[in-house]
Amino acid sequence: MKNILVIGAAGQIGSELVPYLRNIYGESHVVATLHSTKNPDLMNAGPFEILDATDANALAAVVRKYNIDTIFNLVAVLSAKGEADPYLSWRINMGVHFNALEIAREIKGAVFTPSSIGAFGPTTPLDNTPQDTIMRPTTIYGVSKVASELLADYYHLRFGVDARGLRYPGIISYVTLPGGGTTDYAVEIYYKALEEGKYTCNLPAGTYLDMMYMPDALRAAVELMEADPSKLIHRNCFNVTAMSFDPETIAAEIRKHIPDFALDYNVDPVKKAIADSWPNYMDDSAATKEWGWKPEYNLEAMTADMLEKLRARK
Ligand code: VAH
Protein backbone atom coordinates (compact mmCIF):
# COMPACT_ATOMS: atom_id res chain seq x y z
CA MET A 1 0.00 0.00 0.00
CA LYS A 2 1.31 3.48 -0.84
CA ASN A 3 2.53 5.88 1.81
CA ILE A 4 1.46 9.30 0.59
CA LEU A 5 2.50 12.80 1.64
CA VAL A 6 0.25 15.70 0.62
CA ILE A 7 2.07 19.02 0.77
CA GLY A 8 -0.18 22.06 0.56
CA ALA A 9 -3.00 20.18 2.28
CA ALA A 10 -4.82 23.33 3.42
CA GLY A 11 -5.41 24.71 -0.08
CA GLN A 12 -8.45 24.44 -2.36
CA ILE A 13 -7.37 21.09 -3.87
CA GLY A 14 -5.28 19.77 -0.96
CA SER A 15 -8.06 20.12 1.61
CA GLU A 16 -10.28 17.76 -0.40
CA LEU A 17 -7.53 15.54 -1.77
CA VAL A 18 -6.44 14.42 1.72
CA PRO A 19 -9.79 12.85 2.74
CA TYR A 20 -10.25 11.53 -0.81
CA LEU A 21 -6.88 9.73 -0.67
CA ARG A 22 -7.52 8.50 2.89
CA ASN A 23 -10.76 6.87 1.70
CA ILE A 24 -8.77 4.98 -0.92
CA TYR A 25 -5.46 4.19 0.77
CA GLY A 26 -6.34 4.36 4.47
CA GLU A 27 -5.99 7.20 6.95
CA SER A 28 -2.62 6.04 8.29
CA HIS A 29 -1.17 5.95 4.76
CA VAL A 30 -1.84 9.60 3.96
CA VAL A 31 0.08 12.32 5.80
CA ALA A 32 -1.06 15.93 5.41
CA THR A 33 1.36 18.81 5.78
CA LEU A 34 0.27 22.31 6.64
CA HIS A 35 2.28 25.49 6.61
CA SER A 36 0.58 26.75 9.74
CA THR A 37 -1.68 25.50 12.51
CA LYS A 38 -4.73 27.35 11.17
CA ASN A 39 -6.58 24.24 10.01
CA PRO A 40 -7.92 22.27 13.01
CA ASP A 41 -10.16 20.13 10.74
CA LEU A 42 -7.12 18.72 8.96
CA MET A 43 -5.08 18.52 12.15
CA ASN A 44 -7.74 16.37 13.85
CA ALA A 45 -8.44 14.08 10.91
CA GLY A 46 -5.33 11.97 10.62
CA PRO A 47 -1.51 12.13 10.50
CA PHE A 48 -0.24 15.65 9.82
CA GLU A 49 2.92 17.72 10.09
CA ILE A 50 3.49 21.46 10.20
CA LEU A 51 6.00 21.94 7.38
CA ASP A 52 7.58 24.70 5.33
CA ALA A 53 8.19 22.66 2.18
CA THR A 54 10.64 25.26 0.84
CA ASP A 55 12.98 23.80 3.49
CA ALA A 56 14.45 20.73 1.75
CA ASN A 57 15.82 19.19 4.94
CA ALA A 58 12.49 19.57 6.74
CA LEU A 59 10.64 17.97 3.82
CA ALA A 60 13.15 15.08 3.65
CA ALA A 61 12.79 14.48 7.40
CA VAL A 62 8.99 14.14 7.11
CA VAL A 63 9.34 11.83 4.07
CA ARG A 64 11.69 9.55 6.01
CA LYS A 65 9.69 9.72 9.26
CA TYR A 66 6.63 8.24 7.54
CA ASN A 67 8.44 6.11 4.95
CA ILE A 68 6.72 8.09 2.18
CA ASP A 69 6.89 6.74 -1.39
CA THR A 70 4.49 9.15 -3.13
CA ILE A 71 4.26 12.95 -2.84
CA PHE A 72 1.25 14.96 -3.99
CA ASN A 73 2.55 18.52 -4.24
CA LEU A 74 -0.34 21.00 -4.13
CA VAL A 75 1.70 24.02 -3.08
CA ALA A 76 1.26 26.99 -5.43
CA VAL A 77 0.93 30.75 -5.43
CA LEU A 78 -1.89 31.12 -7.97
CA SER A 79 -2.02 33.31 -11.06
CA ALA A 80 -3.45 36.65 -9.96
CA LYS A 81 -1.80 36.57 -6.51
CA GLY A 82 1.54 35.74 -8.13
CA GLU A 83 1.52 38.93 -10.16
CA ALA A 84 1.64 40.92 -6.92
CA ASP A 85 4.92 39.25 -5.89
CA PRO A 86 6.63 37.38 -8.74
CA TYR A 87 9.73 36.53 -6.71
CA LEU A 88 7.71 34.92 -3.90
CA SER A 89 5.62 33.05 -6.46
CA TRP A 90 8.70 31.66 -8.25
CA ARG A 91 10.50 30.82 -4.97
CA ILE A 92 7.54 28.87 -3.58
CA ASN A 93 6.24 27.23 -6.76
CA MET A 94 9.67 26.15 -8.01
CA GLY A 95 11.43 25.68 -4.67
CA VAL A 96 8.85 23.27 -3.28
CA HIS A 97 8.63 21.30 -6.53
CA PHE A 98 12.42 21.01 -6.78
CA ASN A 99 12.60 19.80 -3.15
CA ALA A 100 9.87 17.23 -3.78
CA LEU A 101 11.60 15.90 -6.91
CA GLU A 102 14.98 15.77 -5.14
CA ILE A 103 13.72 13.70 -2.21
CA ALA A 104 11.76 11.52 -4.65
CA ARG A 105 15.04 10.91 -6.52
CA GLU A 106 16.69 9.77 -3.27
CA ILE A 107 13.83 7.43 -2.23
CA LYS A 108 13.00 6.31 -5.81
CA GLY A 109 9.50 7.64 -5.28
CA ALA A 110 6.69 9.28 -7.22
CA VAL A 111 5.60 12.92 -7.40
CA PHE A 112 2.32 14.44 -8.57
CA THR A 113 2.47 18.17 -9.21
CA PRO A 114 -0.37 19.88 -11.10
CA SER A 115 0.25 22.32 -13.88
CA SER A 116 -2.52 24.50 -15.26
CA ILE A 117 -4.14 26.10 -18.26
CA GLY A 118 -2.06 28.98 -16.96
CA ALA A 119 0.99 27.29 -18.51
CA PHE A 120 -0.27 28.41 -21.93
CA GLY A 121 0.04 31.93 -23.30
CA PRO A 122 -1.37 34.29 -25.95
CA THR A 123 0.61 32.63 -28.77
CA THR A 124 -0.80 29.20 -27.92
CA PRO A 125 -3.73 28.05 -30.14
CA LEU A 126 -6.58 29.04 -27.79
CA ASP A 127 -9.27 26.76 -29.28
CA ASN A 128 -8.87 23.00 -28.92
CA THR A 129 -5.45 23.67 -27.41
CA PRO A 130 -3.18 20.71 -28.29
CA GLN A 131 -1.33 18.57 -25.75
CA ASP A 132 1.97 19.48 -27.43
CA THR A 133 2.07 23.13 -28.49
CA ILE A 134 3.79 26.47 -27.98
CA MET A 135 3.83 27.56 -24.34
CA ARG A 136 4.90 31.14 -23.68
CA PRO A 137 2.81 32.24 -20.70
CA THR A 138 2.76 35.88 -19.67
CA THR A 139 2.30 35.39 -15.90
CA ILE A 140 4.89 34.32 -13.34
CA TYR A 141 2.44 31.55 -12.39
CA GLY A 142 2.47 30.28 -15.96
CA VAL A 143 6.25 30.63 -16.25
CA SER A 144 6.66 28.61 -13.04
CA LYS A 145 4.22 25.98 -14.30
CA VAL A 146 6.02 25.52 -17.64
CA ALA A 147 9.35 25.35 -15.79
CA SER A 148 7.83 22.82 -13.37
CA GLU A 149 6.62 20.64 -16.23
CA LEU A 150 10.10 20.65 -17.78
CA LEU A 151 11.78 20.01 -14.40
CA ALA A 152 9.50 17.05 -13.65
CA ASP A 153 10.10 15.48 -17.07
CA TYR A 154 13.86 16.04 -16.58
CA TYR A 155 13.79 14.23 -13.23
CA HIS A 156 11.92 11.36 -14.85
CA LEU A 157 14.25 11.07 -17.83
CA ARG A 158 17.54 11.75 -15.95
CA PHE A 159 16.86 10.03 -12.61
CA GLY A 160 13.85 7.77 -13.20
CA VAL A 161 11.60 9.69 -10.79
CA ASP A 162 7.97 8.70 -11.38
CA ALA A 163 6.85 12.30 -11.91
CA ARG A 164 3.39 12.96 -13.35
CA GLY A 165 1.01 15.90 -13.54
CA LEU A 166 -2.16 17.40 -14.95
CA ARG A 167 -2.78 20.77 -16.57
CA TYR A 168 -5.85 21.58 -14.49
CA PRO A 169 -8.46 24.06 -15.66
CA GLY A 170 -10.25 26.28 -13.19
CA ILE A 171 -11.45 24.01 -10.38
CA ILE A 172 -14.80 24.55 -8.70
CA SER A 173 -15.58 23.25 -5.21
CA TYR A 174 -17.81 23.94 -2.22
CA VAL A 175 -15.39 23.04 0.58
CA THR A 176 -12.44 25.47 0.47
CA LEU A 177 -12.56 28.79 -1.35
CA PRO A 178 -9.67 29.25 -3.83
CA GLY A 179 -7.30 32.13 -3.16
CA GLY A 180 -5.86 34.46 -5.75
CA GLY A 181 -6.84 32.62 -8.89
CA THR A 182 -8.16 34.08 -12.12
CA THR A 183 -10.91 31.46 -12.22
CA ASP A 184 -12.06 32.13 -8.64
CA TYR A 185 -15.22 33.87 -9.97
CA ALA A 186 -16.63 30.49 -11.00
CA VAL A 187 -16.65 29.43 -7.32
CA GLU A 188 -17.70 32.74 -5.78
CA ILE A 189 -20.72 33.07 -8.11
CA TYR A 190 -22.43 30.07 -6.50
CA TYR A 191 -21.94 31.39 -2.96
CA LYS A 192 -23.23 34.88 -3.91
CA ALA A 193 -26.16 33.47 -5.88
CA LEU A 194 -27.40 31.77 -2.70
CA GLU A 195 -26.42 34.52 -0.26
CA GLU A 196 -27.50 37.60 -2.26
CA GLY A 197 -29.21 36.44 -5.46
CA LYS A 198 -26.69 38.45 -7.46
CA TYR A 199 -22.99 38.55 -8.34
CA THR A 200 -20.59 41.11 -9.73
CA CYS A 201 -18.10 39.30 -11.95
CA ASN A 202 -14.51 40.45 -12.41
CA LEU A 203 -14.14 38.80 -15.83
CA PRO A 204 -16.17 40.08 -18.81
CA ALA A 205 -18.89 38.22 -20.70
CA GLY A 206 -17.42 36.16 -23.50
CA THR A 207 -14.35 35.09 -21.48
CA TYR A 208 -14.43 31.34 -22.05
CA LEU A 209 -12.18 29.19 -19.84
CA ASP A 210 -11.78 25.48 -19.21
CA MET A 211 -13.30 24.40 -15.90
CA MET A 212 -13.73 21.22 -13.84
CA TYR A 213 -15.67 20.17 -10.75
CA MET A 214 -13.51 19.09 -7.82
CA PRO A 215 -14.70 15.43 -7.74
CA ASP A 216 -13.42 15.04 -11.32
CA ALA A 217 -10.15 16.80 -10.46
CA LEU A 218 -9.48 14.49 -7.51
CA ARG A 219 -10.32 11.35 -9.47
CA ALA A 220 -8.11 12.47 -12.37
CA ALA A 221 -5.09 12.88 -10.06
CA VAL A 222 -5.47 9.38 -8.60
CA GLU A 223 -6.24 7.73 -11.96
CA LEU A 224 -3.11 9.31 -13.45
CA MET A 225 -0.90 8.24 -10.53
CA GLU A 226 -2.33 4.70 -10.71
CA ALA A 227 -1.99 4.49 -14.49
CA ASP A 228 0.28 1.87 -16.10
CA PRO A 229 3.54 3.79 -16.68
CA SER A 230 4.27 1.72 -19.81
CA LYS A 231 1.20 3.31 -21.45
CA LEU A 232 2.27 6.92 -20.73
CA ILE A 233 3.72 8.83 -23.66
CA HIS A 234 3.34 12.12 -21.80
CA ARG A 235 3.88 12.76 -18.09
CA ASN A 236 4.17 16.45 -17.30
CA CYS A 237 1.64 17.47 -17.88
CA PHE A 238 -1.62 16.17 -19.36
CA ASN A 239 -4.35 18.52 -20.61
CA VAL A 240 -7.55 17.63 -18.74
CA THR A 241 -10.85 19.48 -18.92
CA ALA A 242 -14.54 18.87 -18.32
CA MET A 243 -16.28 21.97 -19.65
CA SER A 244 -15.72 25.47 -20.99
CA PHE A 245 -17.97 28.39 -20.17
CA ASP A 246 -18.09 32.17 -19.77
CA PRO A 247 -19.79 34.13 -16.98
CA GLU A 248 -23.07 34.43 -18.94
CA THR A 249 -23.23 30.65 -19.47
CA ILE A 250 -22.78 29.75 -15.82
CA ALA A 251 -25.24 32.47 -14.79
CA ALA A 252 -27.89 31.01 -17.13
CA GLU A 253 -27.34 27.57 -15.56
CA ILE A 254 -27.71 29.05 -12.05
CA ARG A 255 -30.98 30.74 -13.12
CA LYS A 256 -32.46 27.29 -13.76
CA HIS A 257 -32.31 26.96 -9.94
CA ILE A 258 -32.50 30.64 -8.85
CA PRO A 259 -34.65 32.34 -11.55
CA ASP A 260 -34.06 35.90 -10.39
CA PHE A 261 -30.28 35.59 -10.15
CA ALA A 262 -28.68 38.82 -11.43
CA LEU A 263 -25.17 39.09 -12.89
CA ASP A 264 -23.31 42.32 -13.52
CA TYR A 265 -19.65 43.18 -14.11
CA ASN A 266 -16.77 45.09 -12.59
CA VAL A 267 -13.87 43.83 -14.68
CA ASP A 268 -10.46 43.39 -13.05
CA PRO A 269 -7.97 44.35 -15.78
CA VAL A 270 -5.22 42.13 -14.33
CA LYS A 271 -7.46 39.05 -14.24
CA LYS A 272 -8.93 39.91 -17.68
CA ALA A 273 -5.44 40.10 -19.22
CA ILE A 274 -4.52 36.75 -17.65
CA ALA A 275 -7.75 35.05 -18.73
CA ASP A 276 -7.41 36.42 -22.28
CA SER A 277 -3.99 34.74 -22.52
CA TRP A 278 -5.37 31.32 -21.58
CA PRO A 279 -7.15 28.74 -23.78
CA ASN A 280 -10.87 28.88 -24.49
CA TYR A 281 -10.92 25.09 -24.38
CA MET A 282 -8.26 22.38 -24.46
CA ASP A 283 -7.92 19.11 -26.37
CA ASP A 284 -7.52 16.46 -23.64
CA SER A 285 -7.56 13.43 -25.97
CA ALA A 286 -4.01 12.41 -24.97
CA ALA A 287 -5.18 11.86 -21.38
CA THR A 288 -8.09 9.78 -22.65
CA LYS A 289 -5.87 7.68 -24.92
CA GLU A 290 -3.00 7.14 -22.46
CA TRP A 291 -4.85 6.57 -19.15
CA GLY A 292 -8.60 6.62 -19.87
CA TRP A 293 -9.52 10.14 -18.71
CA LYS A 294 -13.25 10.91 -18.88
CA PRO A 295 -15.01 13.69 -16.93
CA GLU A 296 -18.25 12.86 -15.06
CA TYR A 297 -19.55 16.38 -14.32
CA ASN A 298 -20.73 18.91 -16.91
CA LEU A 299 -21.96 22.43 -16.08
CA GLU A 300 -25.53 21.24 -15.47
CA ALA A 301 -24.52 18.44 -13.09
CA MET A 302 -21.94 20.60 -11.30
CA THR A 303 -24.36 23.49 -10.77
CA ALA A 304 -27.06 21.24 -9.33
CA ASP A 305 -24.56 19.59 -6.95
CA MET A 306 -22.83 22.83 -5.92
CA LEU A 307 -26.10 24.56 -5.02
CA GLU A 308 -27.42 21.48 -3.22
CA LYS A 309 -24.24 21.09 -1.13
CA LEU A 310 -24.01 24.83 -0.33
CA ARG A 311 -27.70 24.97 0.66
CA ALA A 312 -27.18 21.97 2.93
CA ARG A 313 -24.39 23.85 4.76
CA LYS A 314 -26.57 26.88 5.51
C1 VAH B 1 -5.79 30.19 -11.10
N1 VAH B 1 -7.35 28.52 -10.27
O1 VAH B 1 -6.78 30.79 -11.52
C2 VAH B 1 -5.97 28.73 -10.70
C3 VAH B 1 -5.76 27.83 -11.89
C4 VAH B 1 -6.65 27.40 -14.13
C5 VAH B 1 -6.28 28.42 -13.18
O2 VAH B 1 -4.47 27.42 -12.01
O3 VAH B 1 -4.68 30.68 -10.99
Side-chain angles (χ1 to χ4, degrees):
M1 181 61 81
K2 291 184 180 193
N3 283 326
I4 295 170
L5 183 70
V6 179
I7 46 181
Q12 182 199 17
I13 300 173
S15 60
E16 295 197 55
L17 182 63
V18 169
Y20 184 80
L21 291 172
R22 284 174 173 166
N23 280 338
I24 298 169
Y25 299 102
E27 183 181 287
S28 63
H29 288 272
V30 181
V31 180
T33 76
L34 315 173
H35 190 224
S36 72
T37 57
K38 289 184 198 140
N39 201 307
D41 294 348
L42 268 176
M43 291 164 64
N44 299 324
F48 79 92
E49 293 282 342
I50 302 299
L51 171 70
D52 172 358
T54 62
D55 177 340
N57 294 327
L59 174 60
V62 171
V63 165
R64 292 198 172 86
K65 176 179 175 181
Y66 293 92
N67 190 29
I68 298 297
D69 52 50
T70 304
I71 297 172
F72 282 78
N73 168 29
L74 280 309
V75 174
V77 176
L78 296 181
S79 57
K81 191 172 177 185
E83 290 308 291
D85 190 342
Y87 173 69
L88 178 70
S89 178
W90 176 265
R91 188 170 68 79
I92 289 175
N93 294 0
M94 294 310 297
V96 171
H97 195 189
F98 190 87
N99 291 344
L101 290 166
E102 261 298 294
I103 187 64
R105 178 179 63 79
E106 287 177 35
I107 63 169
K108 298 187 179 6
V111 180
F112 172 86
T113 296
S115 179
S116 159
I117 57 174
F120 298 114
T123 53
T124 303
L126 298 183
D127 293 329
N128 212 26
T129 302
Q131 174 65 43
D132 300 307
T133 186
I134 188 164
M135 302 174 78
R136 297 191 66 81
T138 50
T139 64
I140 188 63
Y141 176 72
V143 169
S144 74
K145 285 304 179 185
V146 172
S148 269
E149 291 193 18
L150 297 172
L151 188 66
D153 277 347
Y154 172 80
Y155 265 76
H156 172 66
L157 293 170
R158 179 78 168 68
F159 303 114
V161 171
D162 186 6
R164 310 182 193 188
L166 301 170
R167 287 176 193 146
Y168 275 137
I171 293 177
I172 292 148
S173 64
Y174 57 85
V175 175
T176 304
L177 281 169
T182 301
T183 60
D184 291 0
Y185 92 87
V187 179
E188 295 161 1
I189 193 168
Y190 287 109
Y191 285 79
K192 291 296 185 186
L194 287 171
E195 289 163 7
E196 302 175 18
K198 61 182 179 177
Y199 180 65
T200 298
C201 188
N202 55 29
L203 289 181
T207 305
Y208 282 84
L209 292 169
D210 283 296
M211 300 281 182
M212 185 182 291
Y213 198 28
M214 183 65 83
D216 275 339
L218 300 175
R219 180 172 54 81
V222 171
E223 287 181 1
L224 172 61
M225 294 307 282
E226 291 289 353
D228 176 355
S230 69
K231 300 274 193 324
L232 299 181
I233 298 165
H234 300 84
R235 280 177 165 266
N236 298 282
C237 290
F238 283 92
N239 289 359
V240 284
T241 187
M243 60 192 94
S244 171
F245 56 75
D246 83 319
E248 291 294 327
T249 317
I250 187 174
E253 195 60 39
I254 288 171
R255 287 192 193 100
K256 293 179 184 174
H257 302 265
I258 307 171
D260 297 334
F261 173 67
L263 176 70
D264 62 17
Y265 296 90
N266 179 17
V267 174
D268 175 337
V270 171
K271 288 194 174 185
K272 178 185 182 306
I274 294 172
D276 288 348
S277 72
W278 290 355
N280 296 319
Y281 61 94
M282 291 187 290
D283 168 6
D284 59 3
S285 56
T288 304
K289 279 189 206 106
E290 296 176 37
W291 50 274
W293 162 242
K294 188 175 182 313
E296 292 176 2
Y297 284 86
N298 60 14
L299 178 58
E300 182 183 2
M302 176 176 72
T303 300
D305 197 61
M306 272 293 281
L307 293 174
E308 179 197 329
K309 295 292 195 310
L310 289 173
R311 281 187 170 122
R313 279 199 335 201
K314 277 191 148 185

